[in-house]
Amino acid sequence: MRRPAPYLYSDSDVQRLLDAAARLTPPFRAATCVTVLGLLAATGMRVGEVLGLAPGDVDLAAGVVTITGAKLDRSRLVPLHASVAAALADYAALRDSLFPEAAAFFVSSAGTPLAYSTLKGTFNQLTTATGLRTPARRPRMHDFRHRFAVRALADAYRSGADVAARMTVLSAYLGHSEPKNTYWYLSAVPELMELAAARLDGQNRTRP
């Protein structure tokens, strides 16, 4: 099956989406959408994994998310940056003030678990309003995973890290069964091709 070409969000794209989401009404809907999109961009988690989180899956004190029943029934831990953990804590406090018995971490304005169809409709609305969605360009929420993977590998190249070793870690982090599935996220990205070429050129220059 041919996979759709991913859209690689820039930092400004993500900020425009979050700014537009913050203007949604009612305010709780805005808070939910901002937090979900921010979590997707910051962690590279699958949309289904995010929507499937229960309050107990998010350890705000430790800054770790536990994903259970993920693809291929693989469970894993996702560490959170301090800023992401703080944003999740703020959302959880707001959610609990409105819906103290919420069964899901992310809920709708009615207090029910946030449905994929609802989130997708809002995401399509936001990407259209911000000009990211056009007849020729159709960004998806899943493309946040592609962005995360590309940025992780680009950082490895720039820091001089062992890219092959970093790829193994990245594959496990993303919940892939094998590294080849991770390589697909990184294919045909000009920035990575340039970084790889620069590293190869540097290695050739240092050889006797």
Short mmCIF file of all heavy atoms in Angstrom, two decimals, residues 66-129:
data_model
loop_
_atom_site.label_atom_id
_atom_site.label_comp_id
_atom_site.label_asym_id
_atom_site.label_seq_id
_atom_site.Cartn_x
_atom_site.Cartn_y
_atom_site.Cartn_z
N THR A 66 2.70 6.57 30.12
CA THR A 66 2.72 5.14 29.86
C THR A 66 1.68 4.83 28.78
O THR A 66 0.50 5.12 28.95
CB THR A 66 2.38 4.34 31.13
OG1 THR A 66 3.35 4.64 32.14
CG2 THR A 66 2.41 2.84 30.84
N ILE A 67 2.15 4.26 27.69
CA ILE A 67 1.26 3.87 26.61
C ILE A 67 1.04 2.37 26.69
O ILE A 67 1.97 1.58 26.62
CB ILE A 67 1.87 4.23 25.24
CG1 ILE A 67 2.07 5.75 25.14
CG2 ILE A 67 0.97 3.74 24.10
CD1 ILE A 67 2.76 6.19 23.87
N THR A 68 -0.20 1.98 26.88
CA THR A 68 -0.56 0.56 26.95
C THR A 68 -1.48 0.21 25.80
O THR A 68 -2.22 1.05 25.30
CB THR A 68 -1.26 0.24 28.28
OG1 THR A 68 -2.44 1.06 28.39
CG2 THR A 68 -0.36 0.52 29.46
N GLY A 69 -1.41 -1.05 25.37
CA GLY A 69 -2.28 -1.49 24.28
C GLY A 69 -2.03 -0.73 23.00
O GLY A 69 -2.95 -0.46 22.22
N ALA A 70 -0.78 -0.35 22.76
CA ALA A 70 -0.44 0.38 21.55
C ALA A 70 -0.41 -0.57 20.36
O ALA A 70 -0.79 -1.73 20.45
CB ALA A 70 0.92 1.06 21.72
N LYS A 71 0.05 -0.08 19.22
CA LYS A 71 0.14 -0.90 18.01
C LYS A 71 0.94 -2.16 18.29
O LYS A 71 1.99 -2.11 18.95
CB LYS A 71 0.78 -0.08 16.89
CG LYS A 71 0.59 -0.65 15.51
CD LYS A 71 1.08 0.34 14.46
CE LYS A 71 0.83 -0.17 13.06
NZ LYS A 71 1.32 0.79 12.03
N LEU A 72 0.45 -3.29 17.85
CA LEU A 72 1.07 -4.60 18.07
C LEU A 72 1.11 -4.96 19.55
O LEU A 72 1.88 -5.81 19.98
CB LEU A 72 2.50 -4.62 17.49
CG LEU A 72 2.63 -4.34 15.99
CD1 LEU A 72 4.09 -4.35 15.58
CD2 LEU A 72 1.82 -5.33 15.16
N ASP A 73 0.21 -4.30 20.33
CA ASP A 73 0.11 -4.57 21.77
C ASP A 73 1.42 -4.32 22.50
O ASP A 73 1.72 -4.96 23.51
CB ASP A 73 -0.36 -6.00 22.03
CG ASP A 73 -1.82 -6.19 21.67
OD1 ASP A 73 -2.59 -5.24 21.86
OD2 ASP A 73 -2.18 -7.29 21.21
N ARG A 74 2.20 -3.37 22.01
CA ARG A 74 3.46 -3.02 22.67
C ARG A 74 3.22 -1.86 23.62
O ARG A 74 2.62 -0.86 23.25
CB ARG A 74 4.52 -2.63 21.63
CG ARG A 74 4.96 -3.78 20.73
CD ARG A 74 5.89 -3.28 19.64
NE ARG A 74 6.32 -4.36 18.78
CZ ARG A 74 7.42 -5.08 18.98
NH1 ARG A 74 8.19 -4.80 20.01
NH2 ARG A 74 7.75 -6.05 18.17
N SER A 75 3.68 -2.00 24.84
CA SER A 75 3.59 -0.92 25.82
C SER A 75 4.96 -0.25 25.93
O SER A 75 5.99 -0.90 25.77
CB SER A 75 3.15 -1.46 27.18
OG SER A 75 1.87 -2.04 27.10
N ARG A 76 4.95 1.04 26.21
CA ARG A 76 6.22 1.74 26.34
C ARG A 76 6.04 3.01 27.17
O ARG A 76 4.91 3.47 27.39
CB ARG A 76 6.80 2.10 24.97
CG ARG A 76 6.04 3.15 24.18
CD ARG A 76 6.63 3.30 22.78
NE ARG A 76 6.16 4.50 22.09
CZ ARG A 76 5.00 4.61 21.49
NH1 ARG A 76 4.17 3.59 21.48
NH2 ARG A 76 4.66 5.73 20.88
N LEU A 77 7.15 3.56 27.61
CA LEU A 77 7.16 4.79 28.37
C LEU A 77 7.64 5.93 27.48
O LEU A 77 8.58 5.77 26.71
CB LEU A 77 8.08 4.67 29.59
CG LEU A 77 7.74 3.59 30.61
CD1 LEU A 77 8.79 3.58 31.72
CD2 LEU A 77 6.35 3.79 31.18
N VAL A 78 6.98 7.08 27.60
CA VAL A 78 7.37 8.26 26.83
C VAL A 78 7.72 9.37 27.82
O VAL A 78 6.85 9.90 28.51
CB VAL A 78 6.22 8.73 25.92
CG1 VAL A 78 6.61 10.02 25.19
CG2 VAL A 78 5.87 7.65 24.91
N PRO A 79 9.01 9.72 27.93
CA PRO A 79 9.40 10.81 28.83
C PRO A 79 8.94 12.16 28.28
O PRO A 79 8.88 12.36 27.06
CB PRO A 79 10.93 10.71 28.86
CG PRO A 79 11.28 10.05 27.56
CD PRO A 79 10.17 9.11 27.25
N LEU A 80 8.64 13.08 29.16
CA LEU A 80 8.13 14.39 28.76
C LEU A 80 9.12 15.49 29.15
O LEU A 80 9.72 15.45 30.22
CB LEU A 80 6.79 14.67 29.46
CG LEU A 80 5.66 13.67 29.24
CD1 LEU A 80 4.49 14.02 30.15
CD2 LEU A 80 5.22 13.67 27.78
N HIS A 81 9.25 16.46 28.26
CA HIS A 81 10.01 17.66 28.62
C HIS A 81 9.25 18.37 29.74
O HIS A 81 8.02 18.28 29.83
CB HIS A 81 10.14 18.56 27.39
CG HIS A 81 11.04 19.75 27.60
ND1 HIS A 81 10.58 20.93 28.15
CD2 HIS A 81 12.35 19.93 27.33
CE1 HIS A 81 11.58 21.79 28.21
NE2 HIS A 81 12.66 21.20 27.73
N ALA A 82 9.97 19.08 30.59
CA ALA A 82 9.34 19.75 31.73
C ALA A 82 8.22 20.69 31.29
O ALA A 82 7.18 20.79 31.96
CB ALA A 82 10.40 20.51 32.52
N SER A 83 8.40 21.37 30.16
CA SER A 83 7.38 22.30 29.69
C SER A 83 6.12 21.57 29.24
O SER A 83 5.00 22.06 29.42
CB SER A 83 7.93 23.15 28.53
OG SER A 83 8.29 22.34 27.43
N VAL A 84 6.31 20.37 28.66
CA VAL A 84 5.16 19.56 28.23
C VAL A 84 4.41 19.03 29.45
O VAL A 84 3.18 19.06 29.50
CB VAL A 84 5.61 18.41 27.33
CG1 VAL A 84 4.43 17.54 26.93
CG2 VAL A 84 6.32 18.94 26.09
N ALA A 85 5.16 18.56 30.44
CA ALA A 85 4.54 18.06 31.67
C ALA A 85 3.75 19.17 32.35
O ALA A 85 2.65 18.93 32.87
CB ALA A 85 5.60 17.51 32.60
N ALA A 86 4.28 20.39 32.34
CA ALA A 86 3.59 21.52 32.95
C ALA A 86 2.28 21.83 32.22
O ALA A 86 1.26 22.11 32.85
CB ALA A 86 4.49 22.74 32.96
N ALA A 87 2.33 21.76 30.88
CA ALA A 87 1.12 22.02 30.09
C ALA A 87 0.06 20.95 30.35
O ALA A 87 -1.14 21.26 30.46
CB ALA A 87 1.47 22.06 28.61
N LEU A 88 0.49 19.70 30.47
CA LEU A 88 -0.45 18.62 30.77
C LEU A 88 -1.04 18.78 32.17
O LEU A 88 -2.22 18.49 32.40
CB LEU A 88 0.25 17.27 30.64
CG LEU A 88 0.66 16.84 29.24
CD1 LEU A 88 1.37 15.49 29.29
CD2 LEU A 88 -0.54 16.76 28.30
N ALA A 89 -0.23 19.24 33.11
CA ALA A 89 -0.71 19.46 34.47
C ALA A 89 -1.77 20.56 34.50
O ALA A 89 -2.80 20.43 35.19
CB ALA A 89 0.46 19.82 35.39
N ASP A 90 -1.54 21.62 33.75
CA ASP A 90 -2.52 22.70 33.68
C ASP A 90 -3.83 22.21 33.09
O ASP A 90 -4.92 22.54 33.58
CB ASP A 90 -1.98 23.85 32.84
CG ASP A 90 -0.86 24.62 33.52
OD1 ASP A 90 -0.71 24.47 34.76
OD2 ASP A 90 -0.12 25.34 32.83
N TYR A 91 -3.73 21.40 32.03
CA TYR A 91 -4.94 20.87 31.40
C TYR A 91 -5.68 19.93 32.34
O TYR A 91 -6.91 19.99 32.47
CB TYR A 91 -4.61 20.14 30.10
CG TYR A 91 -5.83 19.49 29.48
CD1 TYR A 91 -6.75 20.26 28.78
CD2 TYR A 91 -6.08 18.13 29.66
CE1 TYR A 91 -7.90 19.68 28.24
CE2 TYR A 91 -7.22 17.55 29.13
CZ TYR A 91 -8.12 18.32 28.41
OH TYR A 91 -9.26 17.76 27.90
N ALA A 92 -4.93 19.05 33.02
CA ALA A 92 -5.55 18.09 33.94
C ALA A 92 -6.29 18.81 35.06
O ALA A 92 -7.38 18.39 35.48
CB ALA A 92 -4.49 17.16 34.51
N ALA A 93 -5.71 19.90 35.56
CA ALA A 93 -6.36 20.66 36.63
C ALA A 93 -7.66 21.28 36.12
O ALA A 93 -8.69 21.26 36.83
CB ALA A 93 -5.42 21.76 37.14
N LEU A 94 -7.64 21.82 34.90
CA LEU A 94 -8.86 22.39 34.32
C LEU A 94 -9.90 21.33 34.08
O LEU A 94 -11.09 21.50 34.41
CB LEU A 94 -8.50 23.11 33.01
CG LEU A 94 -9.68 23.70 32.22
CD1 LEU A 94 -10.41 24.75 33.05
CD2 LEU A 94 -9.19 24.28 30.90
N ARG A 95 -9.47 20.19 33.52
CA ARG A 95 -10.41 19.09 33.26
C ARG A 95 -11.05 18.60 34.54
O ARG A 95 -12.27 18.41 34.61
CB ARG A 95 -9.64 17.94 32.59
CG ARG A 95 -10.49 16.70 32.25
CD ARG A 95 -9.61 15.47 32.14
NE ARG A 95 -8.98 15.15 33.41
CZ ARG A 95 -7.74 14.69 33.54
NH1 ARG A 95 -6.98 14.49 32.50
NH2 ARG A 95 -7.26 14.44 34.76
N ASP A 96 -10.25 18.43 35.58
CA ASP A 96 -10.78 17.91 36.83
C ASP A 96 -11.73 18.89 37.51
O ASP A 96 -12.64 18.48 38.24
CB ASP A 96 -9.63 17.55 37.78
CG ASP A 96 -8.86 16.32 37.31
OD1 ASP A 96 -9.37 15.60 36.43
OD2 ASP A 96 -7.74 16.09 37.83
N SER A 97 -11.51 20.19 37.28
CA SER A 97 -12.41 21.17 37.88
C SER A 97 -13.79 21.13 37.23
O SER A 97 -14.79 21.49 37.86
CB SER A 97 -11.81 22.58 37.74
OG SER A 97 -11.83 23.02 36.38
N LEU A 98 -13.83 20.69 35.98
CA LEU A 98 -15.10 20.62 35.25
C LEU A 98 -15.69 19.23 35.24
O LEU A 98 -16.91 19.04 35.34
CB LEU A 98 -14.89 21.09 33.80
CG LEU A 98 -14.42 22.54 33.61
CD1 LEU A 98 -14.05 22.79 32.15
CD2 LEU A 98 -15.50 23.51 34.06
N PHE A 99 -14.82 18.23 35.11
CA PHE A 99 -15.26 16.83 34.99
C PHE A 99 -14.40 15.95 35.90
O PHE A 99 -13.51 15.24 35.42
CB PHE A 99 -15.17 16.36 33.54
CG PHE A 99 -15.79 17.29 32.55
CD1 PHE A 99 -15.00 18.09 31.72
CD2 PHE A 99 -17.16 17.40 32.44
CE1 PHE A 99 -15.56 18.96 30.80
CE2 PHE A 99 -17.74 18.27 31.53
CZ PHE A 99 -16.95 19.06 30.71
N PRO A 100 -14.63 16.00 37.20
CA PRO A 100 -13.78 15.26 38.14
C PRO A 100 -13.81 13.75 37.97
O PRO A 100 -12.90 13.06 38.44
CB PRO A 100 -14.34 15.68 39.51
CG PRO A 100 -15.72 16.15 39.23
CD PRO A 100 -15.67 16.78 37.88
N GLU A 101 -14.82 13.22 37.30
CA GLU A 101 -14.92 11.78 37.11
C GLU A 101 -14.53 11.35 35.70
O GLU A 101 -14.88 10.26 35.25
CB GLU A 101 -16.36 11.31 37.39
CG GLU A 101 -16.87 11.64 38.79
CD GLU A 101 -16.03 11.00 39.87
OE1 GLU A 101 -15.56 9.86 39.66
OE2 GLU A 101 -15.83 11.63 40.93
N ALA A 102 -13.80 12.19 34.98
CA ALA A 102 -13.44 11.90 33.59
C ALA A 102 -12.70 10.57 33.49
O ALA A 102 -11.77 10.31 34.25
CB ALA A 102 -12.58 13.02 33.02
N ALA A 103 -13.11 9.76 32.52
CA ALA A 103 -12.48 8.45 32.34
C ALA A 103 -11.28 8.52 31.42
O ALA A 103 -10.45 7.61 31.40
CB ALA A 103 -13.50 7.46 31.77
N ALA A 104 -11.18 9.58 30.62
CA ALA A 104 -10.06 9.74 29.69
C ALA A 104 -9.27 10.98 30.06
O ALA A 104 -9.80 11.90 30.70
CB ALA A 104 -10.58 9.86 28.26
N PHE A 105 -8.01 11.02 29.67
CA PHE A 105 -7.20 12.21 29.97
C PHE A 105 -7.72 13.39 29.17
O PHE A 105 -7.86 14.50 29.70
CB PHE A 105 -5.73 11.96 29.66
CG PHE A 105 -4.83 13.05 30.19
CD1 PHE A 105 -4.34 12.97 31.49
CD2 PHE A 105 -4.51 14.14 29.41
CE1 PHE A 105 -3.54 13.99 32.01
CE2 PHE A 105 -3.71 15.16 29.92
CZ PHE A 105 -3.22 15.09 31.22
N PHE A 106 -8.00 13.17 27.89
CA PHE A 106 -8.53 14.24 27.04
C PHE A 106 -10.02 14.01 26.80
O PHE A 106 -10.42 12.93 26.32
CB PHE A 106 -7.79 14.30 25.70
CG PHE A 106 -6.36 14.75 25.84
CD1 PHE A 106 -5.31 13.85 25.68
CD2 PHE A 106 -6.06 16.07 26.15
CE1 PHE A 106 -4.00 14.26 25.83
CE2 PHE A 106 -4.74 16.49 26.30
CZ PHE A 106 -3.71 15.59 26.13
N VAL A 107 -10.81 15.00 27.13
CA VAL A 107 -12.26 14.87 26.99
C VAL A 107 -12.84 16.02 26.18
O VAL A 107 -12.20 17.06 26.01
CB VAL A 107 -12.94 14.80 28.38
CG1 VAL A 107 -12.48 13.58 29.15
CG2 VAL A 107 -12.68 16.08 29.17
N SER A 108 -14.05 15.81 25.70
CA SER A 108 -14.77 16.82 24.94
C SER A 108 -15.38 17.85 25.89
O SER A 108 -15.28 17.72 27.12
CB SER A 108 -15.88 16.17 24.13
OG SER A 108 -16.90 15.70 25.00
N SER A 109 -16.02 18.84 25.32
CA SER A 109 -16.67 19.86 26.14
C SER A 109 -17.86 19.30 26.91
O SER A 109 -18.40 19.98 27.79
CB SER A 109 -17.12 21.03 25.25
OG SER A 109 -16.00 21.66 24.67
N ALA A 110 -18.26 18.07 26.59
CA ALA A 110 -19.35 17.41 27.32
C ALA A 110 -18.81 16.46 28.38
O ALA A 110 -19.58 15.83 29.11
CB ALA A 110 -20.24 16.65 26.35
N GLY A 111 -17.47 16.35 28.47
CA GLY A 111 -16.87 15.49 29.47
C GLY A 111 -16.68 14.05 29.02
O GLY A 111 -16.22 13.21 29.80
N THR A 112 -17.03 13.74 27.78
CA THR A 112 -16.85 12.39 27.25
C THR A 112 -15.47 12.27 26.61
O THR A 112 -14.86 13.28 26.22
CB THR A 112 -17.92 12.09 26.20
OG1 THR A 112 -17.86 13.08 25.16
CG2 THR A 112 -19.31 12.09 26.82
N PRO A 113 -14.94 11.04 26.50
CA PRO A 113 -13.63 10.88 25.85
C PRO A 113 -13.61 11.55 24.47
O PRO A 113 -14.56 11.43 23.70
CB PRO A 113 -13.49 9.36 25.74
CG PRO A 113 -14.27 8.84 26.89
CD PRO A 113 -15.47 9.75 26.99
N LEU A 114 -12.57 12.29 24.20
CA LEU A 114 -12.45 13.01 22.93
C LEU A 114 -12.38 12.02 21.78
O LEU A 114 -11.49 11.16 21.74
CB LEU A 114 -11.21 13.89 22.94
CG LEU A 114 -10.99 14.78 21.72
CD1 LEU A 114 -12.13 15.77 21.55
CD2 LEU A 114 -9.65 15.52 21.84
N ALA A 115 -13.30 12.13 20.84
CA ALA A 115 -13.37 11.20 19.71
C ALA A 115 -12.43 11.64 18.60
O ALA A 115 -12.22 12.84 18.37
CB ALA A 115 -14.80 11.13 19.18
N TYR A 116 -11.88 10.66 17.89
CA TYR A 116 -10.99 10.96 16.77
C TYR A 116 -11.69 11.80 15.72
O TYR A 116 -11.11 12.76 15.19
CB TYR A 116 -10.48 9.66 16.14
CG TYR A 116 -9.65 9.89 14.90
CD1 TYR A 116 -8.32 10.30 14.99
CD2 TYR A 116 -10.21 9.74 13.63
CE1 TYR A 116 -7.56 10.54 13.87
CE2 TYR A 116 -9.45 9.98 12.49
CZ TYR A 116 -8.13 10.38 12.61
OH TYR A 116 -7.38 10.63 11.48
N SER A 117 -12.94 11.47 15.40
CA SER A 117 -13.67 12.21 14.37
C SER A 117 -13.84 13.68 14.75
O SER A 117 -13.75 14.57 13.90
CB SER A 117 -15.04 11.57 14.13
OG SER A 117 -15.80 11.54 15.32
N THR A 118 -14.06 13.94 16.03
CA THR A 118 -14.20 15.32 16.50
C THR A 118 -12.89 16.07 16.37
O THR A 118 -12.84 17.20 15.89
CB THR A 118 -14.66 15.34 17.97
OG1 THR A 118 -15.92 14.68 18.08
CG2 THR A 118 -14.79 16.77 18.48
N LEU A 119 -11.80 15.42 16.82
CA LEU A 119 -10.48 16.05 16.74
C LEU A 119 -10.08 16.28 15.29
O LEU A 119 -9.55 17.35 14.95
CB LEU A 119 -9.45 15.17 17.45
CG LEU A 119 -8.01 15.68 17.41
CD1 LEU A 119 -7.89 17.02 18.11
CD2 LEU A 119 -7.08 14.66 18.07
N LYS A 120 -10.32 15.31 14.43
CA LYS A 120 -9.95 15.45 13.03
C LYS A 120 -10.70 16.60 12.38
O LYS A 120 -10.13 17.38 11.61
CB LYS A 120 -10.22 14.15 12.27
CG LYS A 120 -9.80 14.22 10.80
CD LYS A 120 -10.07 12.90 10.08
CE LYS A 120 -9.65 13.01 8.62
NZ LYS A 120 -9.95 11.76 7.88
N GLY A 121 -12.00 16.72 12.68
CA GLY A 121 -12.77 17.82 12.11
C GLY A 121 -12.23 19.17 12.54
O GLY A 121 -12.13 20.10 11.73
N THR A 122 -11.86 19.28 13.81
CA THR A 122 -11.29 20.53 14.31
C THR A 122 -9.93 20.80 13.68
O THR A 122 -9.61 21.93 13.30
CB THR A 122 -11.15 20.48 15.84
OG1 THR A 122 -12.44 20.26 16.43
CG2 THR A 122 -10.57 21.78 16.38
N PHE A 123 -9.12 19.75 13.55
CA PHE A 123 -7.80 19.90 12.95
C PHE A 123 -7.91 20.36 11.50
O PHE A 123 -7.18 21.26 11.07
CB PHE A 123 -7.06 18.56 13.01
CG PHE A 123 -5.72 18.57 12.32
CD1 PHE A 123 -4.62 19.17 12.90
CD2 PHE A 123 -5.56 17.99 11.06
CE1 PHE A 123 -3.38 19.18 12.27
CE2 PHE A 123 -4.35 18.00 10.42
CZ PHE A 123 -3.25 18.60 11.03
N ASN A 124 -8.84 19.79 10.75
CA ASN A 124 -9.04 20.21 9.36
C ASN A 124 -9.48 21.68 9.30
O ASN A 124 -9.06 22.43 8.41
CB ASN A 124 -10.08 19.33 8.68
CG ASN A 124 -9.56 17.93 8.42
OD1 ASN A 124 -8.36 17.66 8.50
ND2 ASN A 124 -10.46 17.00 8.10
N GLN A 125 -10.32 22.07 10.24
CA GLN A 125 -10.77 23.45 10.32
C GLN A 125 -9.59 24.38 10.57
O GLN A 125 -9.45 25.44 9.92
CB GLN A 125 -11.80 23.59 11.44
CG GLN A 125 -12.21 25.01 11.77
CD GLN A 125 -13.02 25.10 13.06
OE1 GLN A 125 -13.63 24.13 13.50
NE2 GLN A 125 -13.02 26.26 13.68
N LEU A 126 -8.72 24.01 11.49
CA LEU A 126 -7.59 24.85 11.86
C LEU A 126 -6.56 24.94 10.73
O LEU A 126 -6.02 26.02 10.45
CB LEU A 126 -6.92 24.30 13.12
CG LEU A 126 -7.73 24.36 14.41
CD1 LEU A 126 -7.00 23.63 15.53
CD2 LEU A 126 -8.00 25.80 14.80
N THR A 127 -6.26 23.81 10.10
CA THR A 127 -5.27 23.84 9.02
C THR A 127 -5.78 24.62 7.82
O THR A 127 -4.99 25.25 7.10
CB THR A 127 -4.88 22.41 8.59
OG1 THR A 127 -6.06 21.64 8.33
CG2 THR A 127 -4.05 21.73 9.67
N THR A 128 -7.08 24.62 7.61
CA THR A 128 -7.66 25.42 6.53
C THR A 128 -7.60 26.90 6.87
O THR A 128 -7.19 27.73 6.05
CB THR A 128 -9.11 25.01 6.26
OG1 THR A 128 -9.15 23.64 5.85
CG2 THR A 128 -9.74 25.86 5.16
N ALA A 129 -7.97 27.24 8.10
CA ALA A 129 -8.00 28.64 8.53
C ALA A 129 -6.61 29.27 8.53
O ALA A 129 -6.46 30.47 8.27
CB ALA A 129 -8.61 28.74 9.93
#
